[in-house]
Amino acid sequence: MAISKKVEDILNKQINAEFWSAYLYLSMANYFESEGMAGFANWMKVQFQEETSHAIKMLDYVNERGGRVILEPIAAVETDWDSVLSIFEETYKHEQHVTSLINNCVDVAIEEKDHASVNFLKWFVDEQVEEEASVSEIIDQLKMFGCQGNGLYMMDKEFRTRTFVDETKAE
Ligand code: FEO
């Protein structure tokens, strides 16, 4: 059964939102580069790759269901921030917003009685729980000991080792 227009539209919007998230995190990565924080920049670049993989996972699904993917322009993102903490607080807020967008996609799929899309979106619902938790953990670390000096240096060092693992391919 082909995807309904309503589900197609909301998933197209979500594809754009995932690319926008990717763009936001890449902007944050470049900010960290300019501040000489290579580890935090690396963490954000991996985040960029994750968001891109989310968009690709979703557009592959729309195509698989016989829908039409329309790539809209990606809106501009911020380029400057006040502190490391403010970046991660914004990231946390943004991920909470993405969670509400994903929930909205699920609501539309339920309204349309599109069980395949409800199933498909479950992966994103679970992913959002992980994303919020990992960012919240970083905020706690920053508040405890990382806002300056040695703590921040240690976190930057640790984040140099983060690598992208394409979880969209895992079951
Ligand atoms: Fe694709 Fe961070 O949500």
Side-chain angles (χ1 to χ4, degrees), residues 20-39:
W20 191 86
S21 301
Y23 211 38
L24 174 68
Y25 296 141
L26 194 58
S27 183
M28 289 172 171
N30 283 295
Y31 170 81
F32 281 130
E33 288 286 0
S34 74
E35 293 288 305
M37 286 185 269

Side-chain angles (χ1 to χ4, degrees), residues 14 18 21 25 47 50-51 54 94-95 98 124 127-128 131:
Q14 190 59 33
E18 299 291 340
S21 301
Y25 296 141
Q47 204 65 15
E50 279 199 5
E51 298 303 347
H54 296 171
H94 179 61
E95 286 303 328
V98 173
F124 286 86
E127 174 67 12
Q128 283 311 119
E131 296 242 316

Side-chain angles (χ1 to χ4, degrees), residues 124-141:
F124 286 86
V125 172
D126 294 342
E127 174 67 12
Q128 283 311 119
V129 174
E130 273 182 38
E131 296 242 316
E132 284 190 31
S134 73
V135 177
S136 165
E137 197 179 309
I138 292 170
I139 290 173
D140 288 346
Q141 282 180 3

Side-chain angles (χ1 to χ4, degrees), residues 17-33 40-52 54 74-79 81 86-99 127-128 131-132 134-135 162:
E18 299 291 340
F19 278 127
W20 191 86
S21 301
Y23 211 38
L24 174 68
Y25 296 141
L26 194 58
S27 183
M28 289 172 171
N30 283 295
Y31 170 81
F32 281 130
E33 288 286 0
F40 282 98
N42 177 58
W43 195 93
M44 282 298 172
K45 260 187 231 157
V46 172
Q47 204 65 15
F48 159 78
Q49 288 174 294
E50 279 199 5
E51 298 303 347
T52 305
H54 296 171
I74 301 167
V77 290
E78 274 176 70
T79 54
W81 289 269
S86 71
I87 290 189
F88 280 93
E89 281 175 340
E90 184 180 327
T91 299
Y92 186 62
K93 240 194 240 160
H94 179 61
E95 286 303 328
Q96 285 182 314
H97 171 64
V98 173
T99 299
E127 174 67 12
Q128 283 311 119
E131 296 242 316
E132 284 190 31
S134 73
V135 177
R162 187 185 189 202

Side-chain angles (χ1 to χ4, degrees), residues 55-66:
I56 299 294
K57 183 180 178 76
M58 203 165 273
L59 68 82
D60 282 348
Y61 174 76
V62 173
N63 284 321
E64 197 184 337
R65 291 289 309 277

Side-chain angles (χ1 to χ4, degrees), residues 2-12 67-68 70 108 112 114:
I3 204 166
S4 75
K5 180 84 181 102
K6 272 191 182 169
V7 175
E8 183 186 76
D9 285 350
I10 196 104
L11 293 184
N12 266 307
R68 181 77 172 93
I70 302 292
V108 171
E112 292 292 288
D114 183 347

